[in-house]
Amino acid sequence: MTIFAVVVSRLSKAILTLLAIAILNFFLIHAAPGDPAVVLAGEAGAADEQMIEQLRERFGLDQPLYVQLGKYVAGIVQLDLGYSFRQGAPVAELIADRLPATLLLTLTAFVVSLVLGIAFGVAAAARVGKPSDTVLTTMALLFYATPLYWLALMAVLVFSVWFGWLPGFGYETVGANYTGFARVIDIAKHLILPALTLGLFFTAVYMRMARASMLEVSQLDFVKTAKAKGLSDAVIRRRHILRNAILPVVTLAGLQAGQLVGGAVLTETVFAWPGIGRLMFESLAARDYNTILGVFLVSAAMVILFNIVTDIVYRIVDPRIGARS
């Protein structure tokens, strides 16, 4: 199959998958305890039964569940994610406003973790059994075992509070009104801590996978043949071992890329990063069903997109996969 055929095939399956996810999330959210009308009435300071019933009627919460589901699915087909009764705005606009910040954070963390993970994994495999290998694997295990929220809090405490090297919260400096390149630099400074915090966990995972895969491939017959031909260790490692050892890492990265969105909920909350992860956290507390469902659907779409990109990258790294498809 050509890359175009692969994309078309995956996209057709993705539409059905997203529809199934949307229906499942709808029932899960509505099965959770709590009533959005009660929350809104309480915030308005008029939590009487009449006010609650008026709110239910206004936002369609008084209708049977199957009617609400039908309207929700019909809206999705028309690319309408509904209206946020908590924020007072269409859900699509809220997500569109927050999505660039989340994409910037997750993609930066993904690239950093993948590059560092492969680099450290190759370095550890090249020095297997030596002190440097022990140090790298120990550090990987440490970051893997450390809770994400604790690492985020410690990063703020050390690099922002104690040393004052980096800003600890927000997307950019409030009130600075930077423009052009100065604004880019300001956002990049705010991005460093959350991106590294989110990426270090996955760096440890990719490093351990890359190291194990490098060691396994290095024992195969074609590597021994390359050594018998007199090729240098650097050439063998780069052209023969790494190209085959990187395939499991790419697979794992594609599967776990979607988890970055889940990790972004904690990271964005700790660092006050204005992304959809923080929007989902706020919506959960307010029982804002439409916004929660919209964020879930967009997150699922991002996971599917990452998997499609993984399939394409897989065929670029190993063209034999496309030939066998």
Side-chain angles (χ1 to χ4, degrees):
M1 294 177 64
T2 63
I3 292 179
F4 177 76
V6 170
V7 172
V8 172
S9 175
R10 297 296 186 273
L11 286 177
S12 61
K13 296 176 183 177
I15 294 174
L16 296 177
T17 302
L18 282 176
L19 183 60
I21 290 173
I23 295 174
L24 178 61
N25 285 337
F26 178 87
F27 285 112
L28 288 176
I29 290 298
H30 283 76
D35 189 341
V38 175
V39 176
L40 285 174
E43 292 178 350
D48 58 274
E49 190 63 29
Q50 183 179 2
M51 179 69 173
I52 293 174
E53 288 301 324
Q54 289 176 353
L55 288 172
R56 287 199 183 103
E57 182 179 357
R58 177 182 177 186
F59 298 111
L61 299 174
D62 60 332
Q63 298 176 347
L65 195 60
Y66 68 88
V67 175
Q68 297 183 48
L69 175 61
K71 291 183 177 180
Y72 175 64
V73 173
I76 291 177
V77 174
Q78 301 173 23
L79 301 181
D80 180 9
L81 299 180
Y83 189 83
S84 171
F85 47 78
R86 178 65 177 82
Q87 303 284 347
V91 174
E93 292 184 7
L94 293 173
I95 294 177
D97 184 56
R98 301 281 192 109
L99 187 58
T102 294
L103 288 177
L104 177 62
L105 174 60
T106 53
L107 290 177
T108 302
F110 179 74
V111 172
V112 168
S113 62
L114 191 59
V115 171
L116 292 181
I118 293 175
F120 289 152
V122 172
R127 298 165 178 80
V128 61
K130 297 181 180 179
S132 55
D133 176 35
T134 303
V135 171
L136 289 174
T137 52
T138 301
M139 291 296 295
L141 182 61
L142 178 64
F143 286 125
Y144 182 79
T146 303
L148 185 61
Y149 67 88
W150 185 89
L151 190 62
L153 291 173
M154 291 302 102
V156 172
L157 180 63
V158 174
F159 297 104
S160 182
V161 177
W162 287 358
F163 296 115
W165 293 345
L166 296 168
F169 305 101
Y171 182 77
E172 56 186 320
T173 303
V174 179
N177 297 322
Y178 291 122
T179 58
F181 187 68
R183 184 168 184 258
V184 173
I185 295 298
D186 185 49
I187 294 175
K189 289 180 179 179
H190 285 78
L191 178 65
I192 292 175
L193 285 183
L196 286 179
T197 300
L198 184 58
L200 280 177
F201 172 83
F202 295 95
T203 296
V205 175
Y206 301 148
M207 179 206 152
R208 292 172 66 85
M209 173 62 75
R211 179 182 180 276
S213 186
M214 289 281 293
L215 294 177
E216 180 181 358
V217 173
S218 64
Q219 302 300 318
L220 298 180
D221 291 338
F222 71 89
V223 177
K224 297 177 181 178
T225 302
K227 291 180 179 179
K229 290 180 179 180
L231 297 178
S232 65
D233 290 341
V235 172
I236 293 174
R237 190 179 303 115
R238 183 178 66 255
R239 295 184 179 178
H240 297 275
I241 299 178
L242 180 59
R243 185 170 183 178
N244 290 275
I246 203 175
L247 295 178
V249 182
V250 172
T251 303
L252 182 65
L255 293 174
Q256 292 191 329
Q259 296 183 17
L260 285 167
V261 179
V265 175
L266 287 175
T267 306
E268 290 180 1
T269 302
V270 173
F271 290 101
W273 189 264
I276 62 173
R278 188 179 175 194
L279 176 64
M280 182 172 65
F281 179 79
E282 296 169 352
S283 301
L284 282 170
R287 301 295 190 274
D288 192 349
Y289 288 162
N290 289 338
T291 304
I292 298 172
L293 289 172
V295 173
F296 281 171
L297 187 65
V298 172
S299 300
M302 291 173 62
V303 173
I304 294 174
L305 179 61
F306 274 125
N307 280 274
I308 294 175
V309 172
T310 301
D311 287 340
I312 296 174
V313 173
Y314 221 85
R315 282 165 169 76
I316 295 175
V317 174
D318 188 358
R320 295 172 298 177
I321 295 176
R324 293 194 295 266
S325 299

